[in-house]
Amino acid sequence: SGQGEEGWEQPQGAKGQAARRDEVDACCVLARVAQQTGDVASASESLKRALALSHEAGDRHAEAKSLIAFGELYRDLWVTKRSVEHVERALSISIELGDKSSEARCLTVLGQLHYARGDTTGAVRCLEEALALGKQSVLSSSEGECLINIGDLHLQQGEIEQARLHFERASTVCGEQMDKRRAVRALCGLSRCNLAVGESYTAADQLTEAMGVRKEVGDRAGQGECLRMLAVAYTHVGKLATARKVAAQAKALAGERGVVLEEAMADMLLAKISITSGDLEVAVQMQQRALQVLARTEVLAG
């Protein structure tokens, strides 16, 4: 009978670990949702719970996933040092476990952090390493993510054709994997390339398509980004009334989500549209409103 009891131990342990890992995954998803709605405190609590569960179970894969998620949260909050600390810990675990997909994700975040600190060489090195690993990971989203990030890097450096090539490849890869969220990010990247070279009508068509997908998947932060970029595209082609309407929609959406920084960005867009239309008084008012918002949120502190 002792052997019988031992025989049941392993399945129960395996089921317990699977349930624990599912709970860690759920915590990470809840954290992303909370962050998208501007609730950073709840996002942090969910990730603390994920880490605690992974430590309790001794699950190194779940620990790495939780650490990466924490690193991404700190990255988005511009708390660079804490982000690097968490992601480097996750990278060490991923290498130890031989988890190529997780390793690629860590290198991608580190590449973004290098770029944010002005280290372009370090950023390119990390992102190219991540891309190479992503190609080795079967059914992994890493390749598409890396291509998008390298495209972003080229675009920010003014290398439009290089950026376009990476976004087009990312669009193909993400489409093959039915990864709508990344596919639409690649599409938005292509629209930014078109805006950069004056192809504003093409950019507007791409952004309208991206907006529809983001509504479908419930990505409200992404919808706001599309609306702001659409306002720029319409301004470029002289459709100022439409640009003003779209920028106002972006501001309203940011207000609903409680993201004051995006409200300020929309106000600055409205100011630029007013300058283009010759309404300087309104432009000054919108700029002052944006600066007041930024000052209240201490974005300009120090």
Side-chain angles (χ1 to χ4, degrees):
S1 61
Q3 284 185 334
E5 288 174 3
E6 285 182 8
W8 283 104
E9 279 295 315
Q10 183 59 34
Q12 288 175 350
K15 287 179 182 177
Q17 186 180 48
R20 195 69 56 89
R21 192 169 289 183
D22 285 344
E23 193 172 352
V24 168
D25 288 343
C27 286
C28 290
V29 170
L30 285 171
R32 283 199 299 274
V33 172
Q35 186 183 352
Q36 286 176 354
T37 59
D39 189 351
V40 176
S42 292
S44 179
E45 286 304 313
S46 291
L47 292 177
K48 285 178 183 176
R49 172 68 177 157
L51 263 179
L53 286 166
S54 64
H55 288 156
E56 188 179 314
D59 187 334
R60 300 283 277 165
H61 284 283
E63 182 183 1
K65 182 168 188 175
S66 304
L67 285 166
I68 296 168
F70 241 132
E72 290 173 333
L73 175 63
Y74 281 125
R75 175 202 60 196
D76 294 343
L77 295 172
W78 293 93
V79 187
T80 306
K81 184 179 178 183
R82 294 288 286 156
S83 181
V84 170
E85 289 172 356
H86 281 74
V87 177
E88 285 184 342
R89 282 168 59 197
L91 179 60
S92 295
I93 295 170
S94 302
I95 292 170
E96 178 187 322
L97 296 172
D99 186 339
K100 301 295 185 184
S101 179
S102 179
E103 187 180 344
R105 187 176 168 193
C106 291
L107 286 165
T108 297
V109 178
L110 288 173
Q112 293 165 341
L113 292 167
H114 278 303
Y115 187 79
R117 293 189 295 189
D119 179 6
T120 305
T121 303
V124 170
R125 186 183 65 251
C126 285
L127 291 172
E128 287 183 345
E129 284 182 34
L131 179 58
L133 286 166
K135 289 178 178 178
Q136 298 173 30
S137 304
V138 180
L139 298 179
S140 166
S141 60
S142 300
E143 184 180 357
E145 180 70 24
C146 294
L147 286 164
I148 291 168
N149 282 290
I150 294 172
D152 282 334
L153 189 61
H154 283 301
L155 186 58
Q156 288 161 5
Q157 294 183 114
E159 298 164 355
I160 308 302
E161 288 312 308
Q162 282 285 82
R164 191 190 299 277
L165 288 171
H166 281 84
F167 289 134
E168 286 174 348
R169 176 60 184 153
S171 181
T172 300
V173 169
C174 296
E176 289 171 353
Q177 295 180 347
M178 305 294 286
D179 186 343
K180 286 187 176 182
R181 288 182 181 271
R182 288 186 175 85
V184 82
R185 282 175 55 203
L187 183 60
C188 286
L190 286 169
S191 74
R192 299 204 318 274
C193 291
N194 284 317
L195 280 174
V197 297
E199 296 288 343
S200 298
Y201 280 110
T202 302
D205 288 343
Q206 290 169 327
L207 289 165
T208 301
E209 181 184 344
M211 184 73 180
V213 176
R214 283 177 161 167
K215 281 183 178 177
E216 182 186 332
V217 300
D219 181 1
R220 301 190 81 207
Q223 290 173 48
E225 180 193 25
C226 286
L227 287 168
R228 291 191 300 275
M229 290 170 65
L230 267 172
V232 172
Y234 286 130
T235 302
H236 284 180
V237 297
K239 294 188 174 183
L240 300 184
T242 306
R244 188 175 285 109
K245 178 181 177 182
V246 170
Q249 289 174 347
K251 181 177 177 178
L253 181 59
E256 289 170 15
R257 294 174 53 236
V259 185
V260 291
L261 182 57
E262 290 184 11
E263 280 191 84
M265 291 165 69
D267 276 333
M268 292 302 291
L269 272 175
L270 287 164
K272 289 179 182 177
I273 295 164
S274 297
I275 290 170
T276 304
S277 64
D279 196 344
L280 299 183
E281 186 177 343
V282 172
V284 170
Q285 290 174 358
M286 301 308 294
Q287 286 177 329
Q288 287 176 340
R289 184 184 300 175
L291 289 170
Q292 287 168 359
V293 168
L294 292 171
R296 282 204 309 274
T297 56
E298 296 183 348
V299 172
L300 300 182

